[in-house]
Amino acid sequence: MTKKISLGDKIFVAGSSGMAGSAICRMLVKSGYGQPKNNGLLLTPKRKELNLLNYSQVNKWFIFHKPKVVILAAGKVGGILANSSQPADFLLENLKIQTNVIEAAWKSGVKRLLFLGSSCIYPKYSKQPIQEDYLLEGELEPTNEPYAIAKISGIKLCESLRKQHGFDALALMPTNLYGPGDNYDPNNSHVMASFIRKFVEAGKNSDKTVECWGSGDPLREFLHVDDLGNACISALEKWNPDDDDAPKDNKGEKLFYLNVGSGEEISIKDLTNKIAFMTGFKGSIIWDRDKPDGTFRKVLDNSRFKFTGWEPKIKLEKGIKEVIKNIEYALNDKSDRGKSLRNFF
């Protein structure tokens, strides 16, 4: 099989400082990409160097730097509270970032672009496990509808540019992510980071109780962010929707976006019990049933992407243990290395 990208490519990772983006960069370097010794280059501009919300700036940056491969992992993200309280921000910022980067990439002659969506694009009451075919079959989960609509727009822009202009744009739909570089802010974090923060803090403070939102009954699927990083490389190297043996939908039509998940699910209640045990918390867990649960069940069917040759490798328990260990180390690290994480606690 001929690789669709090469070690000598100039690769732009948009959102390289975020959890997904930083993991993608780690995995690229580990695989030999973006290294001068291989004639490659990894472009990872920070926000002060490149404002992705400004199309003129983005377009000029592409013209000057001329990346050949783009991985779009940038965006405004957050949990239920952030999505519910800032719906306009989630819709506007994500639409602008996606449109600016994808359009500039197409116009500047980028050879491959990979857009990262989210499993929240699928209907609230979707059949399980969720196949790619179920997109737009029903209403979205209200608590993250603006974010989901933005991501759906990004998928359709990639698909439309491919159909109309032959632009080689792909999209992956990752499930809930966790791992190094996660956001532990109490108002903006996702469910895994929120729980880890709660129980690490409770253990430090010898708290008797920890309060969690909802009933604890919903089921969730989680993927370690390093597995996502490897999935991005695998997609860029191997997957071409136009190949005869590429994954197809249930009607035999080409698919331009594929699910990426672990294929394993766990109830929120079991997840909290697992994290409580790993952090040494021995108190009681109180469930605030007045708070929303979100979608009850959301597990992705990742069989089509696995068919291209990718497999998740990091088991949930091992991944959580490593995250907790790193957090506890950082909280006890008095040097600048632990400063950024300590600021969240």
Side-chain angles (χ1 to χ4, degrees):
M1 177 184 292
T2 302
K3 284 188 177 181
K4 310 297 189 292
I5 61 172
S6 66
L7 296 181
D9 284 330
K10 188 184 290 189
I11 303 174
F12 170 37
V13 180
S16 59
S17 60
M19 176 173 63
S22 58
I24 291 166
C25 289
R26 284 197 304 273
M27 297 301 106
L28 283 168
V29 171
K30 187 176 179 180
S31 299
Y33 290 97
Q35 299 186 50
K37 67 178 182 180
N38 295 325
N39 298 315
L41 185 62
L42 198 57
L43 300 170
T44 58
K46 302 297 184 282
R47 179 170 295 188
K48 63 181 180 179
E49 303 169 75
L50 177 61
N51 180 7
L52 298 178
L53 295 170
N54 185 317
Y55 178 72
S56 176
Q57 190 178 137
V58 171
N59 193 48
K60 289 176 181 177
W61 187 92
F62 268 85
I63 291 171
F64 182 81
H65 290 280
K66 297 179 173 60
K68 299 307 295 180
V69 177
V70 173
I71 303 174
L72 179 44
K76 181 175 178 61
V77 298
I80 290 178
L81 177 59
N83 274 271
S84 300
S85 60
Q86 305 166 47
D89 292 348
F90 275 86
L91 186 55
L92 280 171
E93 290 189 27
N94 284 298
L95 283 173
K96 288 178 181 179
I97 289 169
Q98 295 164 191
T99 304
N100 290 347
V101 172
I102 295 169
E103 185 177 1
W106 161 55
K107 287 183 175 179
S108 66
V110 164
K111 74 173 184 178
R112 295 213 97 186
L113 179 142
L114 179 63
F115 170 68
L116 293 186
S118 166
S119 60
C120 74
I121 64 168
Y122 294 110
K124 177 181 176 69
Y125 301 109
S126 183
K127 292 172 285 187
Q128 304 286 328
I130 303 171
Q131 295 184 356
E132 290 85 354
D133 304 70
Y134 303 159
L135 181 64
L136 299 177
E137 281 193 348
E139 65 184 273
L140 297 166
E141 161 58 42
T143 56
N144 57 25
E145 183 181 76
Y147 179 75
I149 288 173
K151 288 297 183 180
I152 292 169
S153 298
I155 297 166
K156 291 302 180 181
L157 178 56
C158 289
E159 181 178 327
S160 298
L161 284 170
R162 174 180 283 274
K163 289 180 177 178
Q164 185 176 343
H165 298 289
F167 180 49
D168 191 4
L170 313 166
L172 292 180
M173 301 302 110
T175 190
N176 300 293
L177 300 173
Y178 74 99
D182 210 340
N183 174 16
Y184 296 92
D185 184 282
N187 297 318
N188 297 309
S189 58
H190 286 110
V191 60
M192 179 73 82
S194 172
F195 286 155
I196 290 176
R197 176 196 169 101
K198 282 177 183 288
F199 287 101
V200 168
E201 279 189 326
K204 282 181 60 184
N205 301 330
S206 300
D207 293 338
K208 300 299 183 184
T209 62
V210 167
E211 184 178 286
C212 298
W213 279 25
S215 65
D217 295 331
L219 301 168
R220 289 292 180 269
E221 175 188 24
F222 294 94
L223 182 73
H224 194 282
V225 72
D226 285 354
D227 275 334
L228 173 65
N230 283 322
C232 291
I233 296 172
S234 181
L236 288 166
E237 286 183 343
K238 302 174 183 177
W239 176 36
N240 182 351
D242 295 327
D243 287 346
D244 291 338
D245 60 350
K248 305 290 191 298
D249 66 16
N250 291 335
K251 296 179 180 178
E253 301 293 331
K254 296 176 183 178
L255 275 170
F256 304 106
Y257 60 96
L258 293 175
N259 293 335
V260 183
S262 65
E264 300 177 359
E265 55 187 342
I266 184 173
S267 74
I268 295 297
K269 193 169 290 184
D270 286 345
L271 177 65
T272 58
N273 290 335
K274 191 180 290 287
I275 294 173
F277 176 77
M278 291 182 186
T279 56
F281 175 72
K282 302 184 185 304
S284 301
I285 300 173
I286 308 299
W287 293 95
D288 183 355
R289 293 177 177 268
D290 291 331
K291 296 294 193 300
D293 270 331
T295 304
F296 180 77
R297 188 182 182 212
K298 190 170 64 173
V299 59
L300 296 179
D301 182 339
N302 65 359
S303 60
R304 285 166 170 149
F305 187 54
K306 287 174 71 175
F307 179 75
T308 69
W310 172 85
E311 287 273 359
K313 296 180 180 179
I314 302 172
K315 294 295 184 182
L316 182 62
E317 187 159 332
K318 179 183 177 182
I320 295 175
K321 281 182 179 178
E322 289 178 353
V323 170
I324 293 171
K325 181 179 178 181
N326 289 337
I327 288 174
E328 291 175 340
Y329 175 82
L331 292 176
N332 292 320
D333 183 1
K334 304 305 180 184
S335 71
D336 289 339
R337 289 179 299 177
K339 184 177 179 180
S340 61
L341 182 59
R342 291 198 307 274
N343 287 340
F344 280 127
F345 285 79

